[in-house]
Amino acid sequence: MADIAAPRASSSPFRAWLSGVGQGRHILGLLFMLPAAVFLLLFLTYPLGLGVWLGFTDTRIGRDGVFIGLENYQSLFDDSLFLLSVFNTLLYTIAASILKFALGLWLAMLLNQNLPFKSFFRAVILLPWVVPTVLSAIAFWWIFDAQFSVISWALIKMGLIEHNINFLGDTTNARASVIAANVWRGIPFVAISLLAGLQTIPQSLHEAATLDGANGWQRFRFITLPMLSPIIAVVMTFSVLFTFTDFQLIYVLTRGGPLNATQLMATLSFQRAIPGGQLGEGAAIAVAMIPFLLSAILFSYFGLQRRKWQQGGAD
């Protein structure tokens, strides 16, 4: 009997500790957050810290580097290809984000109306977003092919053009083509997110404005847009982040060509680090993207402050 009771006595402190953990919400919350914290530490914090460190070294593939300070960053300002990639990235991000917002908002307002088969169209519009990026890029690579492009074929049959359009071989056409592909892929995310925001706006506000004599544009300007601004800030922040760091679409379609017309900071960082073997320089280019990404996050932060003001809270 003494042997049987001994394990129970030894387990009582453990049970008391578990009881204390269950009663302490803060300790229990920390325990639940521990797996996520470990995951972020291993797969986000460590790679980010390693990338920042490599940017200050001359590390190459197969050879350990030494600390060289800001030499990698100083060389970037004298690198015409890097400056061109910054211009291409900003042009690509700004143009694609504006088009995705305009078309996504229009599509969201259209789907918010009482249309037949509305649920079906809402499901179909998600297809460009859920299809893997590589598959979308391969499809656009065929659509933009210099010889077998379906767009060129259709325009020739309609008598609008006489020769095939060189979508990916001309610098201007290539930039427009990759922007169009990114817009097609990103519109569903913007549209569905803004549609969710539109459905949270009380219909009574529009009815009251209509009774006061407001037309459609006035209702959109003074009711829909202000109420939707916090959602717009968050959605466009994510859209800018996704577009600015886009790699797969560009790499499959053009690999930065022609003549580096579609070379983005993400693709240039990969080319310098992996095929070029210059890990330190590639890491420096990747770290140089952080200030632009922080600017997008600050845009979202200040956009959310408007929601606090609308609810009567302090900034």
Side-chain angles (χ1 to χ4, degrees):
M1 295 296 293
D3 295 338
I4 297 176
R8 294 182 179 178
S10 61
S11 63
S12 57
F14 179 72
R15 291 182 178 180
W17 180 80
L18 286 179
S19 178
V21 170
Q23 294 176 358
R25 293 185 178 181
H26 298 292
I27 299 178
L28 187 61
L30 291 175
L31 291 177
F32 280 123
M33 291 175 60
L34 184 60
V38 173
F39 179 85
L40 292 176
L41 184 64
L42 293 178
F43 297 101
L44 182 63
T45 306
Y46 173 73
L48 178 61
L50 180 60
V52 173
W53 165 252
L54 289 176
F56 293 105
T57 66
D58 61 349
T59 305
R60 295 177 178 268
I61 292 180
R63 178 178 68 82
D64 293 335
V66 296
F67 182 81
I68 58 175
L70 298 176
E71 288 186 17
N72 285 329
Y73 298 96
Q74 292 173 352
S75 64
L76 290 180
F77 289 101
D78 298 328
D79 189 346
S80 59
L81 182 55
F82 170 75
L83 297 178
L84 177 61
S85 70
V86 174
F87 170 79
N88 292 336
T89 304
L90 293 177
L91 175 65
Y92 179 74
T93 303
I94 294 173
S97 299
I98 292 176
L99 290 174
K100 282 187 286 189
F101 170 71
L103 296 175
L105 180 59
W106 171 78
L107 193 56
M109 297 185 67
L110 183 64
L111 293 176
N112 198 39
Q113 305 298 321
N114 293 324
L115 300 175
F117 307 105
K118 181 169 55 177
S119 300
F120 172 76
F121 289 119
R122 290 179 180 178
V124 169
I125 199 175
L126 279 175
L127 288 178
W129 176 256
V130 300
V131 172
T133 305
V134 174
L135 294 181
S136 301
I138 292 175
F140 274 102
W141 181 73
W142 173 74
I143 292 174
F144 294 143
D145 186 81
Q147 295 181 350
F148 306 104
S149 170
V150 66
I151 298 177
S152 297
W153 176 84
L155 293 177
I156 291 175
K157 290 297 182 180
M158 290 187 292
L160 299 178
I161 60 175
E162 297 180 357
H163 306 285
N164 289 340
I165 301 175
N166 189 9
F167 287 101
L168 302 179
D170 178 77
T171 56
T172 303
N173 292 342
R175 284 171 174 160
S177 299
V178 295
I179 290 174
N182 182 272
V183 169
W184 178 86
R185 177 167 174 76
I187 282 179
F189 169 74
V190 177
I192 295 301
S193 301
L194 295 182
L195 176 61
L198 287 173
Q199 294 182 339
T200 63
I201 300 177
Q203 190 63 28
S204 59
L205 295 178
H206 290 279
E207 295 174 355
T210 303
L211 293 176
D212 290 337
N215 55 32
W217 166 249
Q218 290 172 333
R219 293 196 303 270
F220 172 78
R221 179 182 176 184
F222 296 106
I223 297 177
T224 302
L225 202 58
M227 297 291 292
L228 202 61
S229 59
I231 305 297
I232 293 175
V234 176
V235 170
M236 291 311 299
T237 298
F238 280 103
S239 177
V240 169
L241 294 179
F242 295 152
T243 307
F244 194 90
T245 58
D246 194 7
F247 171 80
Q248 300 179 65
L249 191 64
I250 301 297
Y251 189 76
V252 174
L253 282 177
T254 64
R255 282 179 170 79
L259 300 176
N260 295 306
T262 60
Q263 188 76 266
L264 305 184
M265 296 177 70
T267 56
L268 181 62
S269 174
F270 170 79
Q271 290 183 0
R272 293 283 176 86
I274 306 304
Q278 301 175 357
L279 292 178
E281 187 174 348
I285 297 174
V287 172
M289 299 169 63
I290 294 179
F292 299 98
L293 301 179
L294 289 178
S295 300
I297 295 174
L298 290 176
F299 170 78
S300 174
Y301 172 78
F302 288 113
L304 290 175
Q305 296 305 305
R306 184 176 180 86
R307 171 54 66 93
K308 293 182 180 180
W309 172 78
Q310 289 174 345
Q311 294 177 348
D315 290 348

